[in-house]
Amino acid sequence: MPYRIAAALSLILLHSISVAAPRLFDVPLASVTPALLAEAANHYVALGETEAMKELGELARSSSPLARGFFDGNDIRIGWLCRILFEPGPGSPSSRPPGFGGLTDFPERNMRPDHWPLFPLARSGTSHFVLGHSYLIGGLPEFASQYLDYSRQHGTFRQRPLPVPTREQAIKDALALRASTEWQSLRWKDSGEGWSYTLSETSAWHAVLDQAIAIEEQPHGSERRP
């Protein structure tokens, strides 16, 4: 019996070591930055598609089904990474976003897919920004494992690492995003038959800008490498 217990504990320890996740999975959703997204994506690019899918699959399976009434943070993070790691296949301008529900703070109803191909992320310059992480869920959301399978079937795994933006660069990228035609065309107040919404462009903008500002400054003389 002691041998069996020791063996079981060894297996658990090895399993925990084998799925050591990037820092992206250690911070609250509201604290994610473009730098953390790039670092996490580069971690999986370095692993290669097969090993990356194994590791992300383990993280997806570790998500608690009991948390899905509100949402499991790992599911959301995996959805973000899929948008970066899997590029559209030939003849496909974009793949669909994860079926996690509707964002509460962004006017998703009037967002054109060709304007926002990485939704719920937005790429500007060298930075990827999260457009929102709070969802309204009508029914059961898509599991991360399901979206992993979809992304692999309909996209091509990224081969090259991403540049990891500095705070200065990310702030420039955020300003460029707000000035873009895509952002300026959004309707923050709209209505139709049986529906209406009023959202705050200022709040959404500050949520994006804060992601850039939160990037840790590198010590003097150090460099960020992809």
Side-chain angles (χ1 to χ4, degrees):
M1 183 63 70
Y3 170 79
R4 292 180 179 178
I5 293 174
L9 289 173
S10 297
L11 286 173
I12 292 172
L13 179 61
L14 286 172
H15 176 76
S16 64
I17 293 173
S18 66
V19 293
R23 289 195 301 156
L24 174 68
F25 291 88
D26 294 330
V27 301
L29 294 176
S31 300
V32 169
T33 70
L36 288 175
L37 284 169
E39 290 170 2
N42 290 343
H43 167 80
Y44 292 111
V45 169
L47 287 180
E49 182 174 359
T50 300
E51 291 303 315
M53 290 305 96
K54 286 182 181 178
E55 187 170 300
L56 287 169
E58 288 296 323
L59 287 167
R61 282 189 288 274
S62 70
S63 298
S64 170
L66 297 177
R68 297 188 189 279
F70 296 92
F71 225 127
D72 187 277
N74 278 3
D75 282 348
I76 294 176
R77 294 180 184 89
I78 290 169
W80 294 341
L81 286 171
C82 283
R83 299 302 267 162
I84 299 173
L85 290 172
F86 289 94
E87 299 172 316
S92 174
S94 65
S95 55
R96 68 166 175 82
F100 292 161
L103 289 182
T104 60
D105 301 320
F106 222 82
E108 183 177 350
R109 180 179 283 270
N110 63 63
M111 296 175 72
R112 290 174 46 177
D114 58 326
H115 282 182
W116 305 92
L118 300 181
F119 185 82
L121 301 180
R123 180 171 55 210
S124 178
T126 60
S127 303
H128 287 82
F129 296 98
V130 174
L131 297 179
H133 52 77
S134 297
Y135 287 91
L136 288 174
I137 304 171
L140 187 66
E142 182 175 28
F143 290 2
S145 57
Q146 295 171 319
Y147 192 63
L148 273 172
D149 290 341
Y150 167 85
S151 299
R152 197 172 193 184
Q153 291 169 11
H154 294 85
T156 302
F157 191 79
R158 173 183 287 275
Q159 298 299 311
R160 295 187 177 186
L162 296 164
V164 180
T166 61
R167 177 188 294 176
E168 180 181 8
Q169 182 60 53
I171 290 174
K172 290 179 180 178
D173 293 341
L175 291 169
L177 176 63
R178 194 187 195 191
S180 68
T181 300
E182 291 80 6
W183 185 285
Q184 293 299 318
S185 66
L186 293 173
R187 296 192 297 273
W188 298 92
K189 182 176 181 179
D190 202 0
S191 62
E193 186 176 352
W195 62 271
S196 66
Y197 65 81
T198 300
L199 300 173
S200 171
E201 188 273 345
T202 302
S203 295
W205 156 241
H206 280 294
V208 168
L209 181 61
D210 286 347
Q211 295 170 47
I213 294 173
I215 293 177
E216 299 173 0
E217 292 184 335
Q218 291 294 96
H220 182 68
S222 64
E223 298 181 2
R224 288 178 178 268
R225 293 185 174 84

